């Protein structure tokens, strides 16, 4: 039989009453945690870090690397007992990873999930829009978003981003390093520039042009741009080839396009010396399929030892890294993207900050993190180091120019 | 008396609606922040799916560009907020700009029939992403732009997530009520006629062209409103927001929720938000695979979308009930049959001659 309306009304009343009384019970769900009490995500025996990064979609390759590197580093550290923190306690480090598929909306959702999962800090995530999407939320909830993989300078601006810190060099750093080497060579060079029409390409070109200002031996003879969504740059390449340049500065972030341009330039008989950004210069993923051996030289910049390179095949850092990547990082192959090495260094930088933090709080962590100078993280090349003390610069701002030697890269002291 | 019939009584319906309203208003106060944030995002995408449902589910015109209007609405909102416009003006601008662009596109696209519309709408997000990167003065380029306007004011005593919840609740409730009246009235019948057969619609005095343009424009306005909500919830937008893949995900969400159903749109929004969270919890490395598996499972088991779940459950329970007691009187069994399951009544006699239809089974 049907219930009397009075019964249903009763349900309404009870529901409303329950809901309203529950509302009084809401505790501090956001978990800001201030003062000297420990922050969420850290106990006496463990600390939890979160990574939101693309694990599916077009950027999944580098994205998986960001998780693998950090997991490998702390996997080994945990196996050896954990990290001895500045407050005297030894803690193990847990990593939680979240897939954002390079979608800003999802990365924000993942950040909110992290807060509800009691994550101490977000780290190592890849992508400018995805990191920007939860930057404001991280600031307002006072959750560290540190050592993230983006060349966006905003993350290293202390005033605007008090709870953030970028890890990898900003685009300008890379362009400038190559420009300096080129200017130093003393020989006459004509440079053709192709760049992506966004902050990425503009950053590289700005850094490069700044560094060749006043160098009379370098002239820019052709400049073209392309859109990140373009599927072909053949027209631009043909035009740049006709400029007669002997050096080609290609600020391109799209893997297939880089391979295609390496092939196209050969086909039209233009064989300049190339410069490629660090994220599109992988020997196995880009240079080999692109037939890069045909060119007189391929230069890139790096701050990480490349495991593919024969020069580092027996390097103890590299051997240990590959071993741990296999064992703890769930990444059995030779890393195809530098992000694996970078995030491994993120692990080392975090460990250093943990060792220096006096209290188990996010405040104390940020203070410790911003006070690292001259740290030579494993896998770092000679001449580079982690320095978090300079405002406006990411944790790593020093890069060295490298030359492709047919298998991997070796540091180039001189151009040519 | 069956529960289905009880629910249909107007008085009970009213009371149930009141319960729902009270629950929705009280929910953010009681739920943890993360649950609120999830509900907020569901609201955002439910409105976008609702718009898509009007043009696709109700009017039968394939639209692959809905995310473009969401992104457009978000950009207009960001621009307005960063230039200090009144928030109501921002909201109307977001809807109006999206609606206007939708109208312009529809005027051209609706002249083409069938799949040609799909082709035109595919172009929108594909053009939209580079456009958003190029117009960096307006959009902030590829780094995107953020705009904060949904922090809870001090007098409210609410947390930000609770305040945002109410904003999203007001806008999406209004959107759903408007859409419900729309599809139940004169225009809803016009949409259905155009979907079923354009020639028949034209013969009844309904212009298929105008109806399609109308449906498309309304869908765009809903997209713009969804974009406003997107910015209210995410407070940031970038060219990635309107990438083509998300448009397909919206489409999948609509089909999974239930095409041509208002409640289905809400379920679609919930699907769009929940499934990535669920698959993240299963294994963040296998999100695409598990999302595909869920998609296939839903489509196999519930071809009518999630909204058809109660119907399917009822059919299954009835079947097992009849199996258990075959001796049950026929009258009672038929009383339990929900109206949707009634056999199609026989065609009315059309004349003295036996026609094919009267001969049929």
């Amino acid at each position: 039989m049907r219930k009397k309306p009075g019964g249903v009304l009763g349900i309404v009343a009870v529901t409303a009453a329950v809901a309203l009384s529950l509302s009084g019970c809401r505790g501090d769900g956001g978990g800001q945690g201030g003062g000297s009490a420990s922050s969420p995500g850290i106990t006496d025996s463990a600390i939890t870090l979160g990574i939101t990064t693309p694990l599916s979609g077009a950027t999944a390759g580098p994205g998986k690397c960001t998780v693998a590197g950090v997991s490998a580093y702390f996997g080994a550290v945990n196996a050896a007992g954990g990290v001895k923190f500045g407050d005297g306690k030894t803690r193990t480090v847990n990593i939680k990873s979240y897939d954002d598929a390079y979608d800003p909306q999802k990365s924000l959702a993942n950040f909110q999930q992290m807060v509800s999962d009691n994550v101490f800090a977000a780290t190592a995530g890849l992508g400018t829009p995805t990191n920007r999407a939860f930057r404001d939320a991280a600031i307002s909830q006072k959750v560290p978003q540190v050592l993230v993989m983006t060349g966006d300078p905003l993350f290293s601006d202390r005033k605007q981003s008090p709870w953030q810190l970028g890890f990898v060099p900003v685009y300008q750093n890379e362009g400038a390093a190559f420009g300096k080497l080129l200017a130093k060579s003393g020989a006459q060079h004509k440079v053709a520039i192709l760049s992506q029409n966004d902050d990425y390409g503009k950053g590289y070109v700005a850094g490069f042009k700044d560094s060749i200002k006043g160098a009379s031996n370098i002239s820019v003879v052709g400049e073209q741009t392309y859109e990140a969504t373009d599927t072909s740059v053949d027209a631009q390449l043909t035009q740049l080839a006709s400029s007669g340049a002997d050096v080609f500065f290609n600020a391109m972030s799209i893997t297939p396009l880089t391979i295609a341009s390496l092939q196209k330039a050969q086909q039209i008989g233009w064989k300049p010396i190339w410069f490629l950004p660090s994220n599109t210069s992988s020997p196995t993923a880009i240079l080999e399929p692109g037939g890069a051996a045909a060119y007189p030289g391929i230069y890139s910049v790096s701050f990480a030892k490349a495991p593919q390179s024969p020069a580092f095949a027996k390097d103890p850092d590299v051997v240990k890294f590959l071993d741990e990547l296999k064992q703890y990082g769930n990444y059995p192959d030779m890393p195809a993207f530098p992000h694996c090495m970078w995030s491994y260094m993120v692990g080392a930088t975090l460990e250093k900050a943990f060792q220096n933090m006096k209290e188990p709080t996010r405040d104390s962590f940020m203070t410790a993190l911003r006070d690292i100078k001259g740290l030579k993280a494993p896998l770092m090349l000679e001449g580079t180091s982690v320095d978090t003390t300079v405002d406006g610069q990411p944790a790593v701002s020093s890069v060295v120019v490298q030359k492709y030697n047919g298998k991997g890269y070796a540091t180039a002291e001189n151009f040519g | 008396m069956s529960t289905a019939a009880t629910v249909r009584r107007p008085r009970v319906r009213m009371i149930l609606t009141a319960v729902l309203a009270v629950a929705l208003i009280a929910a953010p106060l009681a739920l943890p922040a993360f649950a609120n944030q999830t509900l907020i995002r569901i609201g955002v995408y439910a409105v976008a799916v609702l718009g898509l449902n009007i043009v696709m589910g109700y009017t039968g015109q394939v639209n692959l560009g809905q995310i473009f209007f969401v992104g457009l609405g978000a950009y207009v909102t960001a621009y307005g907020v960063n230039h200090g416009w009144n928030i109501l003006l921002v909201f109307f601008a977001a809807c109006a700009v999206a609606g206007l662009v939708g109208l312009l596109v529809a005027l051209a696209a609706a002249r083409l029939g069938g799949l040609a519309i799909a082709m035109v709408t595919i172009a929108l997000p594909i053009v939209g992403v580079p456009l958003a990167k190029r117009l960096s003065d307006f959009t902030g380029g590829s780094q995107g732009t953020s705009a904060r306007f949904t922090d809870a004011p001090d007098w409210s005593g609410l947390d930000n997530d609770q305040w945002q919840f109410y904003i999203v609740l007001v806008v999406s409730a209004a959107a759903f009520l408007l859409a419900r009246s729309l599809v139940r009235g004169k225009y809803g019948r016009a949409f259905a006629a155009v979907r079923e057969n354009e020639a028949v619609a034209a013969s009844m005095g309904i212009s298929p062209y105008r109806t399609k343009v109308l449906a498309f424009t309304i869908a765009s306005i809903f997209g713009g409103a969804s974009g406003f909500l997107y910015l209210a919830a995410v407070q940031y937008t970038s060219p990635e927001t309107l990438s083509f893949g998300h448009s397909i995900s919206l489409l999948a969400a609509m089909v999974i929720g239930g095409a041509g159903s208002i409640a289905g749109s809400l379920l679609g929004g919930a699907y769009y938000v929940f499934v990535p969270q669920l698959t993240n919890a299963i294994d963040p490395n296998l999100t695409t695979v598990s999302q595909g598996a869920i998609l296939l499972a839903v489509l196999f088991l519930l071809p009518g979308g999630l909204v058809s779940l109660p119907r399917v459950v009822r059919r299954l329970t009835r079947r097992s009930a009849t199996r258990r007691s075959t001796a049950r009187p026929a009258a009672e069994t038929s009383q339990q049959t929900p109206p949707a399951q009634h056999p199609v009544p026989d065609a009315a006699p059309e004349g003295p001659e036996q026609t094919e239809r009267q001969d049929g089974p």
Side-chain angles (χ1 to χ4, degrees):
Chain A
M1 285 303 115
R2 190 165 72 83
K3 275 186 194 137
K4 280 190 203 123
V8 184
L9 270 180
I11 296 175
V12 180
V14 170
T15 315
V18 168
L20 286 174
S21 55
L22 271 177
S23 67
C25 308
R26 186 178 185 181
D28 185 12
Q32 265 96 13
S36 59
S38 59
S39 293
I42 185 163
T43 65
D44 283 351
S45 58
I47 184 167
T48 308
L49 303 173
I51 302 177
T52 170
T53 202
L55 296 171
S56 63
T59 24
K64 278 189 201 299
C65 254
T66 57
V67 176
V70 182
S71 306
Y73 189 84
F74 283 116
V77 167
N78 288 346
V83 183
K84 192 153 175 6
F85 277 57
D87 62 354
K89 299 197 171 84
T90 302
R91 297 182 173 91
T92 53
V93 182
N94 302 320
I95 310 289
K96 274 191 171 193
S97 59
Y98 305 82
D99 177 20
D100 61 33
Y102 212 73
D103 179 357
Q105 175 264 130
K106 283 197 189 117
S107 75
L108 176 74
N110 288 344
F111 172 74
Q112 293 166 343
Q113 174 106 57
M114 281 184 209
V115 172
S116 103
D117 287 352
N118 273 332
V119 164
F120 181 80
T123 186
L126 168 79
T128 303
T130 45
N131 271 306
R132 277 203 174 208
F134 69 94
R135 184 180 143 270
D136 277 331
I139 293 171
S140 78
Q141 309 219 32
K142 298 189 166 55
V143 178
Q145 177 189 9
V146 292
L147 308 180
V148 287
M149 305 285 180
T150 163
D152 184 350
L154 177 69
F155 287 87
S156 305
D157 182 319
R158 305 224 164 152
K159 218 195 243 144
Q160 291 191 65
S161 305
W163 291 89
Q164 280 75 13
L165 184 61
F167 185 72
V168 291
V170 291
Y171 311 131
Q172 285 82 346
N173 297 147
E174 295 202 359
F178 182 66
K180 255 183 236 151
L181 189 78
L182 199 58
K184 208 176 74 179
S185 72
Q188 292 293 325
H189 287 295
K190 285 190 278 183
V191 184
I193 298 177
L194 177 61
S195 63
Q196 197 163 302
N197 189 19
D198 59 12
D199 58 296
Y200 176 90
K202 283 176 190 153
Y204 270 98
V205 174
F208 177 73
K209 283 191 173 165
D210 271 354
S211 66
I212 56 166
K213 220 176 261 171
S216 56
N217 57 332
I218 310 297
S219 55
V220 176
V221 293
E223 220 176 319
Q224 296 281 327
T225 62
Y226 72 95
E227 297 302 320
T229 43
D230 286 353
T231 51
S232 162
V233 291
D234 291 359
Q236 288 93 324
L237 285 173
T238 318
Q239 221 159 2
L240 290 174
S242 68
S243 71
D246 64 332
V247 176
F248 180 32
F249 186 85
N250 188 8
M252 191 176 260
S253 79
I254 315 283
T255 301
L257 269 191
T258 312
I259 298 172
S261 31
L262 281 165
Q263 291 167 341
K264 181 68 188 177
Q266 288 177 52
Q267 282 168 16
I268 57 176
W270 182 39
K271 293 190 178 156
I273 293 168
W274 285 59
F275 169 80
L276 288 171
S278 58
N279 63 340
T280 44
S281 56
S282 156
T284 48
I286 292 177
L287 299 187
E288 272 172 33
Y295 295 99
I298 304 273
Y299 287 84
S300 184
V301 292
S302 177
F303 57 93
K305 295 173 183 168
Q308 294 90 346
S309 165
F312 296 119
K314 298 232 162 60
D315 186 280
D317 273 4
V318 170
V319 172
K320 182 164 179 283
F321 162 69
L322 288 178
D323 218 38
E324 292 174 3
L325 202 60
K326 223 174 270 172
Q327 199 178 347
Y328 304 107
N330 191 20
Y331 200 101
D333 312 319
M334 184 62 94
F337 302 92
H339 304 75
C340 280
M341 285 78 88
W342 298 347
S343 59
Y344 191 76
M345 297 177 200
V346 166
T349 313
L350 285 172
E351 189 188 22
K352 182 82 184 163
F354 290 156
Q355 286 164 351
N356 291 340
M357 66 190 260
K358 299 278 176 271
E359 286 166 9
T361 63
R362 288 170 173 161
D363 273 316
S364 174
F365 168 71
M366 286 308 288
T367 314
L369 182 71
R370 291 213 193 280
D371 193 33
I372 298 172
K373 204 173 158 76
L375 169 69
K376 193 128 180 10
L379 296 175
M380 284 197 109
L381 286 170
E382 206 57 55
T384 62
S385 67
V386 174
D387 183 352
T388 59
T389 58
V390 189
D391 187 10
Q393 291 289 350
V396 179
S397 57
S398 47
V399 287
V400 293
V401 181
Q402 297 206 296
K403 190 178 181 186
Y404 179 60
N405 56 17
K407 281 221 98 161
Y409 284 97
T411 302
E413 300 294 343
N414 294 301
F415 186 78
Chain B
M1 183 172 263
S2 76
T3 45
T6 315
V7 170
R8 273 188 179 74
R9 292 178 69 96
R11 181 155 187 179
V12 178
R13 276 194 86 124
M14 221 172 70
I15 290 166
L16 279 179
T17 314
V19 173
L20 190 70
V22 170
L24 277 175
I25 290 169
L29 304 172
L31 292 171
F34 183 58
N36 283 344
Q37 288 156 343
T38 306
L39 290 174
I40 289 168
R41 281 196 303 278
I42 291 177
V44 173
Y45 284 102
V47 174
V49 172
L50 183 63
L52 191 59
N53 226 332
I54 287 174
V55 67
M56 273 189 82
Y58 286 98
T59 320
Q61 307 303 314
V62 181
N63 179 355
L64 302 175
Q66 180 72 354
I67 200 74
F68 172 80
F69 298 103
V70 177
L72 187 61
Y75 271 123
V76 171
T77 309
Y79 186 83
V81 167
N82 290 333
H83 285 73
W85 299 357
N86 180 293
I87 198 65
L88 281 177
L89 177 67
V90 171
F91 175 67
F92 287 117
C95 296
V97 172
L100 201 66
V101 175
L103 176 68
L104 288 176
V105 173
L107 284 175
R111 289 196 185 279
L112 310 161
L115 285 176
I117 290 190
M119 287 293 113
V120 172
T121 52
I122 272 189
L124 290 174
I126 291 175
V127 173
V129 173
L131 208 60
K133 287 184 177 168
R134 271 284 171 93
L135 301 173
S136 52
D137 292 337
F138 178 71
T139 62
S142 61
Q143 293 184 327
T145 173
S146 24
R148 289 170 71 95
F149 63 99
T150 49
D151 288 350
D154 288 335
W155 54 261
S156 66
L158 296 172
D159 287 342
N160 287 349
D161 57 284
Q162 294 165 335
W163 182 252
Q164 286 169 13
F165 182 94
Y166 288 123
I167 293 177
V168 173
L169 180 64
V170 168
V171 175
S172 16
F176 270 82
L177 289 178
L178 284 174
R180 185 167 168 273
S181 317
L182 180 81
V183 299
R184 290 191 167 195
K186 168 173 104 169
Y187 292 110
R189 288 192 294 277
F191 290 163
V194 170
R195 179 185 62 192
E196 294 308 326
N197 190 325
E198 289 187 20
V200 171
S203 76
M204 289 191 290
I206 298 166
S207 158
Y209 176 66
R210 277 197 205 160
T211 310
K212 283 193 258 180
V213 170
L214 180 72
F216 199 94
T217 309
I218 292 173
S220 317
I221 293 174
F222 276 82
S226 167
F228 173 84
L229 295 180
Y230 181 95
L231 215 73
V234 182
Q235 307 187 327
Y236 168 84
T237 183
S238 74
E240 287 302 319
T241 305
L242 38 98
S243 83
F244 178 60
H246 303 160
S247 219
I248 299 297
S249 306
L250 272 184
L251 187 80
M254 185 205 77
V255 172
I256 283 176
S261 156
I262 297 288
S265 308
L266 189 58
L267 293 172
Y271 174 88
Y272 191 96
V273 171
F274 267 131
V275 168
Q277 275 175 18
L278 179 72
T279 50
N280 247 336
I282 298 172
D283 182 346
N285 288 312
L286 296 174
T287 48
T288 332
V289 175
S290 39
Q291 278 168 25
I294 294 173
L295 179 82
L296 286 178
V298 173
L299 289 181
F300 269 120
L301 300 173
L302 298 168
L306 290 172
V307 76
S308 66
L309 183 67
R311 208 153 61 216
V312 171
V313 167
R314 230 175 305 153
R315 199 170 59 216
L316 290 178
T317 48
R318 196 181 64 241
R319 210 179 282 161
S320 62
T322 5
R323 224 175 287 143
R324 252 184 279 122
S325 58
T326 37
R328 191 177 268 196
E332 201 185 319
T333 324
S334 78
Q335 205 181 28
Q336 282 202 342
T337 311
Q341 297 299 315
H342 276 306
V344 181
D346 286 338
E350 287 173 77
E353 303 89 1
Q354 287 281 312
T355 64
E356 274 178 12
R357 286 182 69 187
Q358 283 167 319
D359 279 337

